[in-house]
Amino acid sequence: MDRQLVTFDWAIKNVLRNKANFNITEGFLSELLREDIKIIEILESESNKDHEHDKYNRVDMLVKNSRNELIIIEIQNERQLDYLHRIQFGTAKVMIEHMTSGVEYAKIKKIISINILYFDIGHGTDYVYHGTTQFIGMHNKEVLALDDKQKIKFKVKEVKDIFPEYYLLKVNNFNDIARDTLDEWIYLFKNSAVKDTFHAKGIKEAGNALDVAKMSQEERKAYNRKLEIAMSNASWFDSSYGDGYSDG
């Protein structure tokens, strides 16, 4: 039986910023990145601030892990034609904001951008896409590698480990069949629910912390109001997007 939960965008803004719930976000990140992730802190930056006049330039969550990497988590419900440009801008902005003046370039922090999307972006039938930066020889197709001194100094193994990484989770492409533990998290994102049989890292904790039935009357009232506004905005946006968008 599915346990009904609050939507994940509500959770990020109202539940998961509490240090007691870091294990929930750590669980999701560990399943996606295929390594144990430990969150040291949730960071604030200009991109975290929800400015009314700049609604598309915000980061839903920015965390620092135990390897001093910065991980951006964004949830996008409404269609945005230039979303790929937006995430490129977002990683650059976070990188600059967290770069101390006068230090060497080698101190630039690694950025991982994770985007949970509830609209179709580009052409592609998969529901998890991963993007990295590599340099490939134009003549011999060789992938540029780091030398031993660079590996020691930068504490990474490959060139792509220096540059930002991007994950696009196209939630609506998921067919609701959880074949592995990452799929269990994507099922949660799509359905705001957790099955009793799920065993991904952090998923049971999410089921408890995000349970709608455990909300106070005041919390549920605010949550229902948020859902009403989101539905109204989505309806308006779909109408205006359909009227104004053209393939030509």
Side-chain angles (χ1 to χ4, degrees):
M1 179 179 178
D2 289 5
R3 190 185 314 176
Q4 197 62 38
L5 311 179
V6 299
T7 59
F8 203 66
D9 58 339
W10 172 273
I12 275 186
K13 294 178 177 67
N14 298 277
V15 182
L16 301 184
R17 294 182 181 278
N18 187 327
K19 192 170 184 177
N21 293 321
F22 278 8
N23 57 344
I24 296 173
T25 309
E26 287 171 348
F28 160 58
L29 294 176
S30 296
E31 299 292 4
L32 177 65
L33 304 179
R34 304 300 184 190
E35 59 178 302
D36 287 331
I37 299 297
K38 181 69 176 176
I39 294 174
I40 301 301
E41 60 180 320
I42 293 178
L43 302 172
E44 293 298 332
S45 74
E46 286 301 311
S47 297
N48 284 84
K49 298 174 182 177
D50 203 357
H51 299 298
E52 285 297 322
H53 67 277
D54 197 13
K55 64 180 291 188
Y56 293 118
N57 178 29
R58 74 181 193 280
V59 170
D60 289 320
M61 182 176 282
L62 175 64
V63 305
K64 182 169 74 172
N65 67 13
S66 56
R67 298 201 309 202
N68 208 31
E69 298 170 328
L70 302 181
I71 302 176
I72 300 169
I73 303 175
E74 287 201 60
I75 299 175
Q76 179 72 6
N77 291 294
E78 300 168 344
R79 293 188 182 96
Q80 187 174 350
L81 193 61
D82 59 354
Y83 189 81
L84 294 174
H85 298 78
R86 168 183 161 178
I87 63 175
Q88 181 186 25
F89 175 81
T91 54
K93 193 169 190 295
V94 167
M95 186 184 300
I96 295 300
E97 287 176 355
H98 293 271
M99 181 67 177
T100 304
S101 178
V103 302
E104 60 179 325
Y105 291 125
K107 299 296 183 182
I108 292 176
K109 287 181 170 55
K110 166 81 172 188
I111 310 287
I112 301 173
S113 174
I114 298 169
N115 302 271
I116 303 170
L117 307 177
Y118 291 86
F119 68 100
D120 196 20
I121 183 170
H123 290 289
T125 57
D126 208 325
Y127 52 94
V128 180
Y129 288 85
H130 180 211
T132 62
T133 297
Q134 291 184 316
F135 296 92
I136 301 173
M138 292 180 63
H139 300 97
N140 60 13
K141 308 305 179 185
E142 178 184 62
V143 176
L144 183 70
L146 298 175
D147 61 35
D148 291 338
K149 289 183 179 179
Q150 289 174 313
K151 291 178 182 179
I152 294 171
K153 183 176 179 60
F154 306 150
K155 297 182 174 60
V156 296
K157 296 180 179 179
E158 300 179 62
V159 170
K160 67 182 180 65
D161 297 329
I162 296 172
F163 291 87
E165 292 185 44
Y166 299 92
Y167 288 86
L168 303 176
L169 278 58
K170 297 172 64 172
V171 172
N172 293 337
N173 278 10
F174 180 59
N175 65 2
D176 289 342
I177 300 174
R179 297 178 176 82
D180 57 27
T181 48
L182 175 58
D183 282 357
E184 293 177 3
W185 273 102
I186 297 174
Y187 182 95
L188 183 155
F189 298 149
K190 182 178 179 181
N191 300 288
S192 297
V194 167
K195 292 182 179 293
D196 292 336
T197 55
F198 285 178
H199 60 276
K201 292 179 181 178
I203 202 87
K204 293 191 184 301
E205 291 84 352
N208 290 325
L210 310 183
D211 194 335
V212 171
K214 295 182 179 180
M215 299 174 77
S216 68
Q217 186 174 358
E218 183 177 340
E219 288 172 334
R220 187 173 298 189
K221 185 176 180 180
Y223 177 64
N224 288 335
R225 176 60 179 158
K226 174 261 178 190
L227 292 180
E228 291 172 6
I229 293 173
M231 289 176 63
S232 177
N233 288 344
S235 177
W236 176 86
F237 197 91
D238 280 345
S239 298
S240 61
Y241 184 90
D243 291 340
Y245 176 73
S246 171
D247 287 325

